[in-house]
Amino acid sequence: MCGIVAVSANRNVVEVIVNGLQTLEYRGYDSAGIAIIEGDHIAIRKQAGKLSQLKQELAAHPVAGHVGIGHTRWATHGEPTSANAHPHDSNNAIAVVHNGIIENYRPLREQLIAAGYAFKSATDTETLVHLIHHYQAQGMGFSAASHQAIGQLEGAYAVAITCMSDPNRIIAARKGSPLVVGLGDGENFVASDVQALINETNQFHYLEDGDVVEITQDSCHIFDAAGQPVERELKTVTLSSEALTKDGYAHYMLKEIHEQPTAVANTIAERLYNGRISPYFINEAATAILQQVDNIHIIACGTSYHAGLVARYWLEAITQIPTQVEIASEYRYRKPVVPQNTLFLTISQSGETADSLAALRFAKTANYLSTFAVCNVANSSLDRETEHCILTHAGPEIGVASTKALTTQLTVLALLTLKLAEIKQVDEAVRKNLAEQLITLPGIINQSLLLDDQIKVMAEKIVQRDNALFLGRGVHYPIALEGALKLKEISYIHAEGYPAGELKHGPLALVDEKMPVIAVCPNDELLEKLESNIEEVRARGGELFAFVDHKSQHGLKDRVNHLIELEASGSFTSPIVFNVPLQLLSYHVAVLRGTDVDQPRNLAKSVTVE
Ligand code: HGA
């Protein structure tokens, strides 16, 4: 959350910074700003609202210069106003952009106010810029003052700093929030992720926690947490800038929903061969660990947590390995008991989710057999810090509401289940059937996408409602949770997901003719039970929407108000298939309500604060 771009070059850097911020808007979009060294002063432009507001401001009041920093914000401290937008400056001598939370900002702020500094914002960030100024005023150079001030910060941060007295240099640092350094020819860059710079360079250093970097047009020096010069590997990143466009779709979310057949096929490719998991899936060391696993703890947040919940049903039913799933922000602050031979597994699209990373860091100190992760971003903090990372091959996901990332997470978790099934010597015919279901999955998802017109009609029935209930049973219960989350996130309709059997224990009281109830009804051993739960809703006048397998012998046709039949899949991959029409349903409801589908209010994609 919050995106940072900083550039030192021999050309005007304003456009490079603004273009970089555009790709980082997924990280936060409540305000944006830029600071450019312009002759004898630092020119700052900042605006509340999206980057488009800043662009208008820049068109009205242009700036130009060879060195600058930029920021797109997701507020944690102080409202999303222009005053609280970054960059923050101290006496127009130093300017700072920051992603994260400075936890000790209150005492620092009080000390600085006592020393005579006047604060212009309510942010935690402003303390850093005055602190650097304070040390400079005592005679330190830009570099020494910045290192000194950064060393005093507690909490999480990625920062970039520019300074009038050393106008070619940018100093940046990270601890807990992501930051990469891009190297160009006569120009160097810093950004929150590689996407922001991919039009400028493909050469990147991934900074480690505690690193401080100093760049000028023609130099780049990295220092570790102890202040010692350090080399970080230079990586060549192959990411096409086309992957970051909407490709003709109205929204990134819609494009990403439609990319799912390909994303799943890419995630399976080379990992499944002749009905067996191939050595390309995980290496021998990881396989050796899986051979010892007696328990699994899955820790994640949001949509990734729902992926974990589905995996628990698969892992326990197919491999009989006891599996617990927990929300990372809860797990990290309790004292979990870790039985012998327990595998820690965390799931995160970005690989930068602060709570999941903290859980991983705790797990590395606890009695776990090993740490595994499922993640979409190679070289992310999670990828680098976990012992074994299995990448999803979803490609960049820009829409804040996760779609193809979840589908590919589930695909990886299904492959992992199959791998463990091989290790546990589950019957070969069973395993073959699971593998076949995975192979046919992209085609079946494609069929679900063809239901779009029917789903749009359903969306029109829901668009005026204030609340909705999503029901599922068994492995489809997490899909009901995810359906509700998606609707909340992008349409702002209050929605809850429930295991259908739980209705009578409370939520049934909410049901009347104004309550849409959306039921996920696959053709499985719980279908009859679910039908009874649906009857309970019908008897109370709730408006029923059902998604069913088209081959099932359900008796729902005359008992629900709206019914959509899906191409039948096997029971293993069924939760993945049923999730797709729910994504489309939320999407169409949100479009009809006129919300900002790709950038819903109050949210951001990569949640790098706790
Ligand atoms: N704490 C700073 C930065 C916010 C942030 O990184 N959000 O993810 C602020 O509120 O401005």
Side-chain angles (χ1 to χ4, degrees):
M1 302 178 133
C2 290
I4 290 176
V5 183
V7 188
S8 180
N10 287 314
R11 56 175 167 146
N12 184 8
V13 296
V14 173
E15 198 179 324
V16 178
I17 294 176
V18 171
N19 289 344
L21 292 179
Q22 190 76 64
T23 74
L24 291 176
E25 234 192 345
Y26 73 90
R27 301 179 64 85
Y29 36 82
D30 61 40
S31 51
I34 186 167
I36 300 288
I37 303 276
E38 200 180 48
D40 61 354
H41 68 289
I42 303 179
I44 296 179
R45 304 282 184 271
K46 47 189 194 175
Q47 285 291 310
K50 293 199 171 186
L51 191 64
S52 51
Q53 302 295 117
L54 176 67
K55 284 185 185 169
Q56 280 177 22
E57 169 67 9
L58 285 167
H61 303 104
V63 290
H66 292 188
V67 177
I69 58 179
H71 188 263
T72 177
R73 180 171 186 241
W74 184 84
T76 64
H77 291 61
E79 288 173 18
T81 57
S82 295
N84 288 333
H86 301 213
H88 295 285
D89 75 297
S90 189
N91 296 288
N92 200 249
I94 307 162
V96 164
V97 289
H98 164 226
N99 164 208
I101 293 175
I102 300 171
E103 287 174 357
N104 58 335
Y105 84 99
R106 280 179 204 281
L108 290 174
R109 191 177 165 111
E110 277 162 26
Q111 285 164 27
L112 288 160
I113 289 172
Y117 285 94
F119 280 71
K120 293 180 279 190
S121 80
T123 64
D124 49 338
T125 306
E126 200 183 344
T127 51
L128 174 62
V129 72
H130 293 312
L131 196 58
I132 299 169
H133 186 274
H134 172 68
Y135 288 125
Q136 276 204 310
Q138 291 176 359
M140 287 187 189
F142 175 37
S143 176
S146 300
H147 285 252
Q148 178 81 14
I150 290 165
Q152 273 179 262
L153 303 183
E154 289 169 17
Y157 55 80
V159 294
I161 313 158
T162 186
C163 176
M164 269 318 298
S165 66
D166 196 350
N168 290 321
R169 189 178 308 276
I170 286 167
I171 298 181
R174 70 153 287 190
K175 192 180 130 208
S177 302
L179 208 60
V180 297
V181 181
L183 301 188
D185 190 8
E187 52 191 24
N188 290 311
F189 314 84
V190 170
S192 298
D193 73 22
V194 296
Q195 291 174 27
L197 301 175
I198 206 65
N199 286 328
E200 312 302 329
T201 179
N202 63 358
Q203 300 294 304
F204 289 96
H205 292 297
Y206 289 82
L207 294 182
E208 297 198 359
D209 258 0
D211 282 356
V212 179
V213 63
E214 298 194 13
I215 59 165
T216 62
Q217 285 87 344
D218 44 28
S219 69
C220 169
H221 299 290
I222 304 176
F223 305 87
D224 65 14
Q228 295 305 312
V230 67
E231 295 286 324
R232 298 287 176 222
E233 194 185 337
L234 190 62
K235 298 205 171 166
T236 302
V237 171
T238 49
L239 175 71
S240 84
S241 47
E242 286 84 71
L244 306 176
T245 69
K246 286 190 203 152
D247 200 17
Y249 285 91
H251 297 97
Y252 281 110
M253 182 181 178
L254 189 61
K255 175 190 173 219
E256 287 157 8
I257 289 173
H258 282 269
E259 282 173 341
Q260 290 178 114
T262 311
V264 169
N266 289 343
T267 300
I268 294 173
E270 297 186 340
R271 290 165 159 182
L272 201 52
Y273 183 69
N274 266 348
R276 288 185 66 84
I277 297 293
S278 84
Y280 290 112
F281 181 53
I282 51 171
N283 62 22
E284 278 178 21
T287 302
I289 288 161
L290 293 185
Q291 280 159 347
Q292 302 167 55
V293 168
D294 289 334
N295 299 281
I296 301 177
H297 287 177
I298 301 178
I299 310 298
C301 307
T303 290
S304 300
Y305 169 70
H306 296 155
L309 289 178
V310 171
R312 177 174 62 184
Y313 284 91
W314 286 338
L315 287 162
E316 294 203 337
I318 296 165
T319 70
Q320 272 82 56
I321 300 173
T323 303
Q324 287 180 27
V325 190
E326 191 168 347
I327 287 173
S329 54
E330 286 300 309
Y331 170 87
R332 63 181 288 192
Y333 288 115
R334 64 182 192 88
K335 312 242 170 319
V337 174
V338 183
Q340 276 306 105
N341 296 330
T342 301
L343 178 72
F344 177 91
L345 171 63
T346 188
I347 310 167
S348 158
Q349 188 283 130
S350 65
E352 303 293 348
T353 314
D355 287 317
S356 301
L357 278 170
L360 169 67
R361 288 170 191 153
F362 162 78
K364 287 169 87 173
T365 68
N367 179 38
Y368 284 101
L369 187 59
S370 180
T371 56
F372 276 44
V374 176
C375 175
N376 192 38
V377 181
N379 297 310
S380 58
S381 299
L382 196 63
D383 180 17
R384 285 177 289 133
E385 292 185 34
T386 191
E387 282 162 31
H388 298 279
C389 186
I390 311 174
L391 290 173
T392 51
H393 295 310
E397 190 183 65
I398 314 280
V400 164
S402 187
T403 53
K404 63 176 179 171
L406 170 66
T407 307
T408 52
Q409 285 169 352
L410 287 169
T411 306
V412 164
L413 292 165
L415 291 168
L416 185 65
T417 304
L418 202 48
K419 177 75 190 173
L420 284 161
E422 285 174 8
I423 289 170
K424 296 279 174 195
Q425 297 179 338
V426 170
D427 182 71
E428 193 172 345
V430 172
R431 285 189 278 119
K432 237 187 147 85
N433 175 270
L434 302 182
E436 271 160 23
Q437 290 187 41
L438 279 170
I439 302 272
T440 55
L441 183 57
I444 294 178
I445 294 177
N446 239 334
Q447 298 290 323
S448 296
L449 295 173
L450 299 177
L451 299 169
D452 199 41
D453 285 342
Q454 291 181 52
I455 296 169
K456 249 185 231 164
V457 174
M458 220 185 222
E460 283 161 13
K461 313 279 177 215
I462 295 175
V463 66
Q464 302 291 356
R465 305 306 179 87
D466 296 326
N467 300 287
L469 282 178
F470 285 73
L471 303 181
R473 290 195 77 134
V475 69
H476 295 84
Y477 158 52
I479 297 307
L481 288 176
E482 174 62 14
L485 177 64
K486 211 88 313 179
L487 191 69
K488 271 188 263 214
E489 279 180 308
I490 59 170
S491 75
Y492 317 146
I493 292 175
H494 172 234
E496 299 296 336
Y498 267 97
E502 187 66 9
L503 263 192
K504 54 192 173 291
H505 297 289
L508 204 52
L510 295 170
V511 172
D512 61 15
E513 66 289 348
K514 290 202 284 301
M515 177 65 84
V517 178
I518 299 136
V520 181
C521 312
N523 186 21
D524 63 15
E525 65 285 357
L526 292 170
L527 183 58
E528 274 182 25
K529 306 272 175 214
L530 186 60
E531 287 186 36
S532 306
N533 302 138
I534 284 173
E535 273 303 321
E536 293 158 13
V537 172
R538 201 160 90 98
R540 272 109 192 142
E543 187 171 9
L544 278 156
F545 301 76
F547 291 92
V548 299
D549 268 335
H550 90 272
K551 281 198 181 134
S552 75
Q553 297 298 318
H554 62 82
L556 291 172
K557 259 205 172 76
D558 305 318
R559 290 196 276 164
V560 300
N561 307 78
H562 313 277
L563 184 111
I564 290 185
E565 293 185 325
L566 272 67
E567 180 69 20
S569 56
S571 57
F572 182 44
T573 51
S574 167
I576 306 178
V577 175
F578 271 84
N579 186 45
V580 173
L582 297 189
Q583 296 168 344
L584 284 169
L585 182 64
S586 294
Y587 172 77
H588 288 303
V589 172
V591 169
L592 289 169
R593 284 172 75 100
T595 62
D596 191 341
V597 173
D598 285 330
Q599 297 181 334
R601 69 185 183 199
N602 303 341
L603 301 180
K605 188 153 188 76
S606 179
V607 188
T608 57
V609 296
E610 57 165 295

